[in-house]
């Protein structure tokens, strides 16, 4: 009985480790391209590949399609701030919510939703920034229960510190995120997208 329980817990740990990875190698290769995207068209192409993927791993496809839109919105905010940014942000939120419907306790999905909602504050499309910040904090707290040394989590905290005017803390957290991106590996079981958020690639 004990051996069976050990084996089952090993299996469960393995499935949790690979929760963000596709068994489809083409889609897994596309995931790696999230860090090398340099233009709006690159992000659009990645979004299309994930959103149109014929895969049984639908929640992962939704997660990465949402990540591509989040990164596209972030790219446009930096390079073309007068672009309409509300639509890609809202589409990212809807896709991430679909992923969450399948994976309620997935830290990465909760974190992505926290990032998307904070982005909504940054692009000024929210009617109630205080309420939006509560939503960000709620998703972030859920994410923190399962994620450790996560560069996207450190990045979000840095952005929040910067928004509150705490520049010293923000710099410290941006540096922490950069270091975590450098040390994260695909074998860690955590996705590695988002390096361009802090210009580490």
């Amino acid at each position: 009985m004990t051996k069976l329980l050990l084996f089952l817990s090993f299996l469960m740990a393995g499935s949790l480790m690979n929760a963000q990875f596709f068994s489809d190698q083409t889609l897994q290769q596309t995931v790696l391209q999230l860090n090398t995207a340099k233009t709006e068209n690159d992000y659009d192409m990645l979004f299309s590949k994930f959103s149109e993927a014929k895969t049984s791993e639908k929640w992962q496809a939704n997660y990465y399609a949402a990540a591509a839109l989040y990164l596209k919105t972030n790219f446009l905010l930096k390079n073309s701030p007068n672009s309409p940014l509300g639509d890609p942000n809202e589409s990212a939120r809807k896709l991430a919510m679909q992923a969450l419907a399948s994976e309620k306790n997935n830290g990465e999905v909760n974190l992505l939703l926290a990032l998307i909602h904070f982005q909504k504050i940054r692009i000024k499309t929210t009617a109630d920034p205080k309420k939006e910040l509560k939503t960000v904090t709620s998703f972030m707290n859920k994410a923190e229960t399962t994620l450790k040394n996560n560069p996207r989590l450190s990045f979000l905290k840095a952005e929040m510190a910067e928004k509150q005017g705490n520049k010293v803390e923000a710099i410290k957290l941006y540096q922490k995120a950069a270091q975590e991106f450098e040390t994260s590996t695909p074998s860690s079981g955590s996705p590695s997208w988002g390096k361009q958020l802090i210009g580490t690639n």
Side-chain angles (χ1 to χ4, degrees):
M1 184 67 182
T2 313
K3 281 183 181 174
L4 178 64
L5 283 172
L6 278 169
F7 177 68
L8 286 172
S9 64
F10 172 77
L11 277 180
M12 282 180 68
S15 69
L16 284 174
M17 275 283 286
N18 295 315
Q20 302 301 127
F21 294 108
F22 286 103
S23 55
D24 180 323
Q25 286 305 303
T26 308
L27 284 174
Q28 194 52 47
Q29 285 301 313
T30 307
V31 169
L32 301 176
Q33 292 169 23
L34 280 168
N35 278 329
T36 56
K38 301 249 185 296
T39 66
E40 185 178 353
N41 284 344
D42 289 348
Y43 292 114
D44 286 340
M45 183 204 65
L46 290 168
F47 168 71
S48 293
K49 281 188 181 176
F50 291 123
S51 61
E52 294 165 13
K54 304 282 183 272
T55 175
S56 58
E57 297 163 308
K58 194 63 189 162
W59 77 262
Q60 289 103 316
N62 284 336
Y63 169 83
Y64 283 111
L69 286 175
Y70 167 79
L71 288 170
K72 174 187 172 177
T73 307
N74 198 70
F75 170 81
L76 290 172
L77 183 60
K78 283 181 184 168
N79 298 286
S80 183
N82 296 325
S83 302
L85 303 173
D87 287 348
N89 174 271
E90 180 55 20
S91 296
R93 188 193 67 78
K94 286 177 180 171
L95 284 161
M97 287 302 291
Q98 285 174 24
L100 188 70
S102 302
E103 293 285 310
K104 291 209 182 328
N105 298 318
N106 186 304
E108 289 289 352
V109 177
N110 279 290
L111 175 55
L112 179 55
L113 277 159
L115 285 161
I116 290 166
H117 279 276
F118 192 75
Q119 186 177 66
K120 197 171 177 179
I121 297 168
R122 288 189 64 215
I123 63 175
K124 299 179 173 70
T125 57
T126 178
D128 188 345
K130 282 186 181 170
K131 187 180 173 193
E132 204 68 45
L133 197 56
K134 282 182 183 167
T135 304
V136 171
T137 306
S138 170
F139 281 124
M140 188 174 77
N141 289 343
K142 285 177 196 163
E144 271 192 298
T145 61
T146 57
L147 301 178
K148 303 287 175 260
N149 302 319
N150 185 292
R152 286 166 302 285
L153 182 58
S154 298
F155 170 76
L156 174 61
K157 288 180 175 180
E159 281 208 313
M160 290 172 81
E162 190 175 10
K163 184 90 175 139
Q164 292 160 351
N166 190 342
K167 287 203 168 86
V168 174
E169 183 66 9
I171 289 166
K172 197 161 65 173
L173 286 162
Y174 282 128
Q175 287 170 342
K176 183 175 188 276
Q179 191 175 9
E180 287 165 346
F181 273 123
E182 287 307 311
T183 55
S184 72
T185 59
S187 62
S188 68
S190 179
S192 62
W193 67 266
K195 291 182 180 182
Q196 63 272 64
L197 293 170
I198 47 174
T200 56
N201 69 337

